Amino acid sequence: MNPKVSIVIPSLNSMCYIEECLQSVLNQTLQDIEILCVDANSTDGTLEYLKELESKDKRLKVIISKKKSYGHQMNLGIKAAKGEYLGIVESDDYIKPNMYAELYRIAKERNVEVVKGDMLEFIDKNGERVFTHTRLLNWTKCLYGKVLNAKDLRVFTQSGIMNPSGIFKLSFLRENQIYHHESLGAAYQDTGFCFFTHLLAPKMFFVNEAFYCYRQDNENSSVNRISLQKALKLSKEYDFIQKKLNKNPNFGNLNSLLSYLRFGGYNWILGRIVDSNQLPFLQRIQSEFLEIEAKGELDWKFFDAFQRAKLERILKNPQEFYENVCLKPKG
């Protein structure tokens, strides 16, 4: 009999965090799980630790990835999974003991393909762990506790990209060929996966409760110390989504929505990119969005007044925006 949830854990040199991560998964109150650890040939002891756990717990399987690509590792896990639902845990994070029991219960009760909860962002500071509750839904509470789908565009415009906080029905993923972009490294390949699960899920459900603990103090994480090269990987991720949309006439005209989401992703990066790279990145935003505007794929109805004013200012003069906004002292 197949497990209820298959959990994919991609890793590469995660020895500092992997024990806490794996123990939180192994000790789930839902014991009927499969754990697929997809390692890209770690050299710091991570792989040996995973193999030791594999020898002790039959629920855990180690898969070796020849390609150092988060997307490729995730796809190896998805293809090998035998569960009814798929879960994802990053190797530097950990989860509450009841996460998969609760998400699976809700998925079955509501008969939905996707269930997502909030996150607890955390840092370790002066020997203490400091948590911040981060809501999946950025600007509204009214979408929590309802069965939704892509007919309500707010599932795109008002929710964050938090794939590990949820579970996904595996038959749904496979029927719709939803996989990750297999670009090299580990930067933003979750963006396309999130977009297409939201787009294609007949039914999805957002839970106003946090089960997933999301580390913010790993300096090697894609959310920290963003270089220009890493920032431009997000551009390639949105290009990947665009190509998939253009190949399928059933998706209709979603280019304007994708342009809005692209700006949201770039705006997020602007707050995290290394200071010296802010101006070249702003110039890249100007270049891309002038082209988007020329193609008629910029629809201001998706933007609130603040977002519109910000993008219009960047389009007009990224140098001015850099000097008067980015260089302005914070606080």
Side-chain angles (χ1 to χ4, degrees), residues 81-219:
K82 298 176 181 177
E84 186 180 358
Y85 282 82
L86 174 85
I88 303 165
V89 181
E90 310 293 356
S91 59
D92 55 349
D93 302 331
Y94 69 98
I95 57 178
K96 289 184 176 181
N98 66 334
M99 175 168 169
Y100 289 119
E102 281 299 297
L103 294 183
Y104 182 80
R105 177 187 64 78
I106 293 167
K108 298 298 286 184
E109 286 180 357
R110 299 285 182 163
N111 188 28
V112 295
E113 286 73 27
V114 177
V115 181
K116 285 186 175 182
D118 292 343
M119 283 194 177
L120 286 174
E121 295 186 355
F122 73 92
I123 60 171
D124 290 328
K125 186 175 182 179
N126 300 325
E128 293 187 6
R129 186 154 284 180
V130 181
F131 292 93
T132 302
H133 187 125
T134 302
R135 292 208 336 227
L136 175 67
L137 300 171
N138 300 331
W139 301 285
T140 182
K141 289 186 177 180
C142 67
L143 297 184
Y144 284 114
K146 296 179 180 178
V147 176
L148 302 161
N149 60 35
K151 291 179 180 178
D152 188 335
L153 291 180
R154 292 178 299 174
V155 304
F156 296 102
T157 61
Q158 297 188 22
S159 66
I161 299 172
M162 295 183 181
N163 296 325
S165 72
I167 58 174
F168 309 84
K169 197 166 188 177
L170 264 165
S171 60
F172 153 70
L173 296 179
R174 288 172 176 157
E175 286 166 9
N176 290 281
Q177 292 293 296
I178 301 174
Y179 292 104
H180 290 71
H181 186 198
E182 296 194 1
S183 55
L184 292 177
Y188 319 122
Q189 292 99 327
D190 55 348
T191 306
F193 184 84
C194 179
F195 181 87
F196 286 106
T197 53
H198 282 210
L199 177 63
L200 297 170
K203 297 184 293 295
M204 59 191 307
F205 193 88
F206 296 143
V207 185
N208 192 11
E209 185 174 351
F211 302 99
Y212 191 93
C213 300
Y214 182 33
R215 183 179 297 277
Q216 297 296 295
D217 56 7
N218 178 358
E219 291 186 355

